[in-house]
Amino acid sequence: MEAGFARLNSLTIIQTTQGLAEYLLAKLPNTRSAGVVIGHDARHNSSKFAQLAAAVFESRDITVWWYEDLVHTPLVPYAVKVKKAAAGIMITASHNPARDNGYKVYNLHGCQIISPDDHNIASSIMQNLEPTVWNPQGSSLRKPILDTMTASYYSSIISRLNAAEAETLPVPFVYTPMHGVGLRFMASAVELASPKVIARMTVVDQQAQPNPDFPTVKYPNPEEAGALNLAMHTADQANVPLVLANDPDADRFAVAEKVDGVWHQFTGDQVGILLAYWVFSSNTSSATRDDVMLTTAVSSQMLSFVADAEGFSVHETLTGFKWLGKNTQDLQGEGKRVHFAYEEALGYMFPDVVYDKDGIAAAVVFLCACSSWGSPWAKLQELYRKYGYFVTTNTYWRSPSKQKTEAVFQRFENLDDPFPSRLCHRKVLRWRNLTTGYDSATENNIADLPKDPNSRMTTCWLEGSKLDDGVRFTVRTSGTEPKIKGERKTFGDG
């Protein structure tokens, strides 16, 4: 956030909202009555930016469904779905550093926007750059929805729990919202699920209240090394073996458990498999191929192995919940029953709640599952023994510039033509570049997933060794930060 047309500030918020408003008015005849949902988190300037966005819509006689206090991100797409709104806006930068903020747009289906909407909105913004509103004062078109939407949202979460297990929820745990907005929503959801368990929730005091400077962590991202150290310390002091965490806008969910004196921080793949198995075992007594779960091209293949063994289907998408949400709705339109979706970056989606990742819903469902499992780490080892062992190793490098990122990927992609025969002393079995749409494994070399020229992602499948049955390695850019990510997935039968 700073001055400049390529930065987030009051002017660019107004310009962006003017372009979005004009696009909606041209595309959807009922935009004014359907309205837009607006929410914001606790970051610097989030409240001001939300007020400015609301004023732009009101100046065009568009109803604003207004969250009048801090909310976690999933409440915006939830309200879009319930209110049948034309769009939703959440002012947040999720788990990015403190200097950042963002403007997240949902379409009328409650999904993050994808092409061609994103390009058309960008074009509309460029046609509506002259500011027409500077006064963020509210009007009669601004309708407060916090109480009604949160009550409805909690009911949606509770309705998918096993009532008997939710009633017991015996697992004590430590919780951190990581200086974000999650505590209010986590505490309310847990208490409604089981009044008994709220007394067994220990909150990390130093991180309990919203603070846009995130003073106790270098990066407010539960994936980052050290981000859960304070929560683990709190758990050690309280003699509690389980830590649950949300990122600052509470759309992501992280878990750590102390086993035999050692803390294990679960990967997103591990939490995803545990939740997927719980959803499967709780809701699909006789699964068919019309029962579907989704994951992404950078997540573990373990879910596909479980699906093959148990009789349900798994669909793989491009990275990001904009694709998981869109594909979920497409599958539902075909009559499929979509139960769950996840991505390895700590995101978990329950389509009957929202079409986006939801850290609060994931936490409550996870606690309900733990009431049956006891130890989630022990349950994970049981699943490994049953379906095979899958190991995820993730790393990243912060890039100083877009030009440097491009240079890195060009060098990697040009190792050989059309791709290298070996990497790390292993034979390359398959090479897929979703930037160009190339896939060596298909008959016409067209990738099995849509190409995305605006992102960088190359995946290669490597032959097995004496220690494993194969490796899938992906190099890609981050969708939210200047990072180059490396993700290695290894599997074997143990």
Side-chain angles (χ1 to χ4, degrees):
M1 288 176 288
E2 56 189 6
F5 293 111
R7 296 293 185 267
L8 212 61
N9 51 60
S10 294
L11 174 60
T12 55
I13 288 289
I14 291 170
Q15 292 172 325
T16 298
T17 309
Q18 289 177 168
L20 175 59
E22 294 302 326
Y23 173 75
L24 293 173
L25 288 169
K27 181 180 179 182
L28 303 172
N30 67 332
T31 291
R32 287 190 169 88
S33 58
V36 296
V37 177
I38 299 180
H40 67 87
D41 66 5
R43 284 180 174 266
H44 291 296
N45 294 316
S46 281
S47 177
K48 179 175 76 172
F49 289 166
Q51 294 272 357
L52 287 169
V56 170
F57 285 113
E58 291 164 348
S59 73
R60 287 154 172 79
D61 295 323
I62 298 172
T63 300
V64 173
W65 303 110
W66 176 250
Y67 280 116
E68 61 270 32
D69 202 351
L70 307 177
V71 294
H72 71 308
T73 291
L75 274 175
V76 169
Y78 182 81
V80 171
K81 180 176 71 171
V82 172
K83 290 293 187 181
K84 296 181 172 58
I89 298 166
M90 178 68 187
I91 306 296
T92 181
S94 191
H95 57 277
N96 278 33
R99 66 180 182 274
D100 293 348
N101 213 325
Y103 187 105
K104 194 171 188 178
V105 180
Y106 294 89
N107 64 22
L108 76 166
H109 304 296
C111 287
Q112 296 179 44
I113 58 170
I114 60 173
S115 184
D117 283 342
D118 52 358
H119 298 296
N120 292 337
I121 291 168
S123 176
S124 181
I125 292 169
M126 298 306 296
Q127 296 170 25
N128 291 277
L129 294 178
E130 184 67 29
T132 59
V133 174
W134 284 103
N135 184 358
Q137 296 293 328
S139 76
S140 60
L141 290 168
R142 195 174 303 188
K143 313 293 184 182
I145 60 171
L146 181 64
D147 290 343
T148 56
M149 284 299 104
T150 51
S152 177
Y153 168 76
Y154 296 140
S155 295
S156 294
I157 296 176
I158 304 308
S159 66
R160 69 171 352 274
L161 302 179
N162 181 305
E165 287 162 342
E167 178 60 27
T168 56
L169 281 179
V171 183
F173 66 100
V174 164
Y175 172 71
T176 175
M178 207 157 288
H179 298 297
V181 301
L183 178 58
R184 169 184 180 179
F185 305 103
M186 178 67 172
S188 296
V190 168
E191 188 168 21
L192 287 168
S194 174
K196 298 177 184 177
V197 81
I198 195 68
R200 310 200 74 182
M201 182 173 85
T202 301
V203 179
V204 180
D205 288 337
Q206 301 95 316
Q207 297 175 337
Q209 299 306 317
N211 185 328
D213 294 317
F214 312 117
T216 68
V217 291
K218 185 176 181 180
Y219 299 106
N221 181 353
E223 288 185 293
E224 293 279 351
L228 296 186
N229 284 356
L230 188 56
M232 292 174 184
H233 176 70
T234 302
D236 285 337
Q237 289 185 318
N239 196 29
V240 172
L242 185 65
V243 166
L244 306 184
N246 290 128
D247 65 341
D249 70 326
D251 63 350
R252 286 174 170 84
F253 168 61
V255 179
E257 184 182 8
K258 194 171 189 178
V259 180
D260 297 329
V262 178
W263 279 103
H264 297 273
Q265 184 167 342
F266 292 66
T267 67
D269 281 323
Q270 291 171 333
V271 175
I273 288 299
L274 286 168
L275 286 170
Y277 190 80
W278 174 253
V279 170
F280 158 74
S281 58
S282 299
N283 297 299
T284 55
S285 56
S286 56
T288 73
R289 294 301 176 186
D290 285 338
D291 292 294
V292 183
M293 297 190 190
L294 290 89
T295 187
T296 68
V298 298
S299 300
S300 170
Q301 294 170 282
M302 186 173 180
L303 185 56
S304 294
F305 279 67
V306 175
D308 288 344
E310 302 297 347
F312 62 92
S313 299
V314 168
H315 284 247
E316 188 177 276
T317 76
L318 294 174
T319 57
F321 276 82
K322 62 184 180 181
W323 297 108
L324 288 168
K326 173 64 164 58
N327 279 265
T328 292
Q329 292 183 342
D330 289 345
L331 288 165
Q332 289 175 331
E334 297 169 9
K336 309 295 186 184
R337 297 178 294 275
V338 182
H339 301 278
F340 176 69
Y342 92 92
E343 184 171 62
E344 54 79 31
L346 306 184
Y348 316 97
M349 180 181 88
F350 302 91
D352 47 354
V353 182
V354 292
Y355 292 107
D356 199 8
K357 55 188 176 290
D358 186 343
I360 299 299
V364 174
V365 173
F366 193 85
L367 280 172
C368 184
C370 286
S371 69
S372 174
W373 300 334
S375 164
W377 188 257
K379 183 64 179 182
L380 180 65
Q381 307 315 307
E382 176 189 322
L383 296 180
Y384 282 157
R385 290 189 294 271
K386 183 174 182 180
Y387 300 107
Y389 289 80
F390 294 76
V391 178
T392 297
T393 306
N394 294 339
T395 189
Y396 69 85
W397 303 268
R398 289 190 178 272
S399 177
S401 68
K402 183 176 181 181
Q403 292 74 20
K404 180 64 70 175
T405 299
E406 287 295 315
V408 168
F409 275 91
Q410 286 177 8
R411 184 175 180 182
F412 181 67
E413 292 162 1
N414 294 328
L415 287 173
D416 206 343
D417 185 20
F419 60 90
S421 59
R422 302 186 72 85
L423 280 180
C424 303
H425 308 293
R426 296 187 187 226
K427 182 180 179 180
V428 175
L429 303 178
R430 179 183 176 189
W431 186 277
R432 182 177 67 190
N433 183 337
L434 292 180
T435 305
T436 63
Y438 174 83
D439 191 336
S440 68
T442 61
E443 185 175 351
N444 53 9
N445 293 140
I446 296 176
D448 54 354
L449 291 172
K451 73 175 183 179
D452 185 357
N454 297 313
S455 66
R456 289 284 192 174
M457 187 167 77
T458 298
T459 301
C460 54
W461 285 255
L462 308 179
E463 68 178 347
S465 70
K466 294 179 180 179
L467 300 177
D468 58 65
D469 292 335
V471 174
R472 185 174 72 173
F473 178 66
T474 298
V475 181
R476 67 183 180 99
T477 51
S478 168
T480 57
E481 298 178 87
K483 290 179 178 179
I484 299 172
K485 291 187 171 185
E487 293 150 334
R488 185 183 70 182
K489 317 292 180 180
T490 310
F491 63 95
D493 60 9

